[in-house]
Amino acid sequence: MQFTGSHILSINQFDIQDVERLFQVADAMEPYAQRAKRTRVLEGAILSNLFFEPSTRTRVSFGCAFNLLGGHVRETSDIKTSAISKGESLYDTARVISGYSDVIAMRHPVAGSVEEFARASRVPVINAGDGPSEHPSQALLDLYTIRKELGINGPVANFRIAMVGDLKYGRTVHSLSKLLCLYNNIHFTLVSPVELRMPAEIVDQLRAAGHKVIETEDMQEGLQNNDTVYLTRIQEERFSHQREADIYRGRFRLNQAIYTRHCKPNTVIMHPLPRDSRAEANELDEDLNQHPSLAIFRQTDNGVLIRMALFALTLGVADSVQKYEEEVRWFTARRYNKPSPPR
Ligand code: NCD
């Protein structure tokens, strides 16, 4: 794709070459994210971060990624404090905010809303999650993480992944599955309650891409023989009644004992976060926090690199980041989470 000036709305926009280009730019962002160097390549540019749904890491990491490239960030983080609560249309908001910004990252509870907004925007819009539909930057950081964790250089192939939890409403697993359709010979085990299964059209897409797909409600069976286990939270905000979400909460849990018993040694543990750590849910137990295969905080670190790369490419500066490089003047703590041990 022609990245410069493009909206990033769906993972379907990407082909294998686009992913390779993005990952190459993301690799080059590492010294800046680590604060070994700084760059002012986007000095003067403005990102508007429009989050009409709760978010911590996506909102902050989009903002930090832009700051790390030298740009400024403006934020709206609550639907109640924005004019949308006065009945303003997405069209009007897009016309207004795109007049103030160079690029916009947007999250909204309604599927398709970010695309509608982008049609009226005069600047590139990046979808930071639209309801249960898509979360393309998360899928890219997830694939980037899978590659690093499994030690695969270049297009992935021949590995086994289990996706566990709310596969119906979880937009991260939707986007990641679609992205993995670009590659060959992946074995998917989809573990969820029957009512929260992966949408049939995505399962069909996976099979049409030649992947093997098994769907099961049995967590123990589902955990066997994978290279990666990708856990998700029950998306309680998408249920019409809270009580309905309670039925599924805590149904699939991973902890040290279950991992040791059912997972192949070195199975990489992923989760888009937030993990629901309340006792009744506890889908990913804190007793795994020191486990070398727990990749969740490496995933969040990688999110900054991927978002920096998306900004550098959509704003057409990917090749001049180094040209505007400077020394870092302040104390820099070691911030990156330890890389995974060699497999
Ligand atoms: C996810 C999301 O918002 O879709 N979080 C994230 O962006 N990392 C997953 C979730 O909320 O469960």
Side-chain angles (χ1 to χ4, degrees):
M1 90 170 95
Q2 160 69 35
F3 276 104
T4 308
S6 288
H7 302 304
I8 306 291
L9 300 173
S10 164
I11 207 68
N12 293 333
Q13 289 171 247
F14 287 78
D15 64 21
I16 292 187
Q17 284 72 36
D18 299 328
V19 175
E20 290 307 307
R21 172 78 179 127
L22 182 84
F23 287 1
Q24 187 192 23
V25 176
D27 286 343
M29 295 301 172
E30 195 146 343
Y32 310 103
Q34 294 269 26
R35 278 57 156 187
K37 295 262 181 240
R38 61 190 296 235
T39 177
R40 303 200 316 182
V41 70
L42 287 185
E43 189 169 41
I46 297 175
L47 161 70
S48 285
N49 238 351
L50 302 187
F51 279 71
F52 300 116
E53 223 189 19
S55 173
T56 305
R57 76 222 79 241
T58 305
R59 181 171 56 84
V60 176
S61 68
F62 266 117
C64 288
F66 208 73
N67 290 149
L68 285 165
L69 291 166
H72 305 284
V73 182
R74 295 273 155 193
E75 286 201 332
T76 303
S77 59
D78 188 351
I79 214 156
K80 291 197 280 300
T81 58
S82 100
I84 288 202
S85 67
K86 297 183 185 171
E88 185 166 62
S89 66
L90 285 172
Y91 177 89
D92 286 3
T93 311
R95 299 298 292 174
V96 172
I97 300 297
S98 61
Y100 302 158
S101 335
D102 295 280
V103 59
I104 298 170
M106 180 172 171
R107 169 172 287 189
H108 194 282
V110 179
S113 55
V114 182
E115 198 178 332
E116 184 187 334
F117 179 95
R119 277 198 295 273
S121 169
R122 291 166 278 177
V123 300
V125 175
I126 302 181
N127 182 359
D130 62 324
S133 179
E134 283 237 33
H135 194 347
S137 65
Q138 179 74 40
L140 292 161
L141 78 88
D142 287 338
L143 176 59
Y144 187 73
T145 303
I146 290 171
R147 266 165 68 144
K148 281 193 169 176
E149 297 290 320
L150 299 182
I152 302 171
N153 288 319
V156 294
N158 311 318
F159 74 96
R160 297 170 74 106
I161 183 167
M163 293 179 172
V164 182
D166 184 350
L167 307 184
K168 178 178 179 185
Y169 295 119
R171 57 191 167 202
T172 70
V173 283
H174 299 166
S175 287
L176 179 58
S177 300
K178 291 180 192 173
L179 180 57
L180 291 174
C181 285
L182 294 176
Y183 302 94
N184 293 324
N185 199 21
I186 302 170
H187 188 291
F188 285 79
T189 306
L190 305 178
V191 185
S192 71
V194 177
E195 300 81 0
L196 300 183
R197 277 162 71 169
M198 182 73 86
E201 62 275 16
I202 299 181
V203 176
D204 291 346
Q205 229 177 309
L206 290 171
R207 292 203 170 112
H211 300 319
K212 177 113 203 280
V213 184
I214 292 172
E215 293 183 274
T216 176
E217 274 197 279
D218 183 340
M219 171 99 169
Q220 293 186 7
E221 177 198 318
L223 289 178
Q224 314 279 329
N225 280 322
N226 292 289
D227 300 292
T228 299
V229 173
Y230 190 108
L231 302 147
T232 63
R233 178 181 66 87
I234 300 297
Q235 307 283 294
E236 57 190 349
E237 63 277 32
R238 314 261 177 247
F239 290 82
S240 31
H241 300 289
Q242 181 70 36
R243 276 201 311 278
E244 211 190 318
D246 291 340
I247 302 171
Y248 307 111
R249 212 186 301 282
R251 186 119 154 227
F252 301 118
R253 297 168 188 250
L254 187 63
N255 59 26
Q256 179 80 57
I258 296 171
Y259 182 93
T260 310
R261 190 140 175 228
H262 301 290
C263 294
K264 198 171 76 171
N266 296 333
T267 301
V268 176
I269 307 165
M270 295 175 65
H271 191 303
L273 300 181
R275 55 176 154 169
D276 186 344
S277 294
R278 290 169 291 192
E280 62 275 24
N282 201 19
E283 64 231 7
L284 177 53
D285 200 294
E286 288 172 9
D287 73 356
L288 282 161
N289 278 1
Q290 303 309 320
H291 199 289
S293 296
L294 185 78
I296 56 176
F297 301 117
R298 295 190 288 273
Q299 252 175 296
T300 52
D301 285 345
N302 290 335
V304 174
L305 304 177
I306 292 296
R307 291 175 176 133
M308 288 177 80
L310 284 171
F311 288 132
L313 286 163
T314 50
L315 295 178
V317 297
D319 296 326
S320 32
V321 174
Q322 243 185 327
K323 191 169 150 206
Y324 295 93
E325 196 171 273
E326 289 184 0
E327 291 306 310
V328 174
R329 290 184 289 271
W330 58 89
F331 164 75
T332 55
R334 201 202 129 72
R335 66 195 63 241
Y336 253 43
N337 289 298
K338 275 206 211 86
S340 57
R343 293 165 63 83

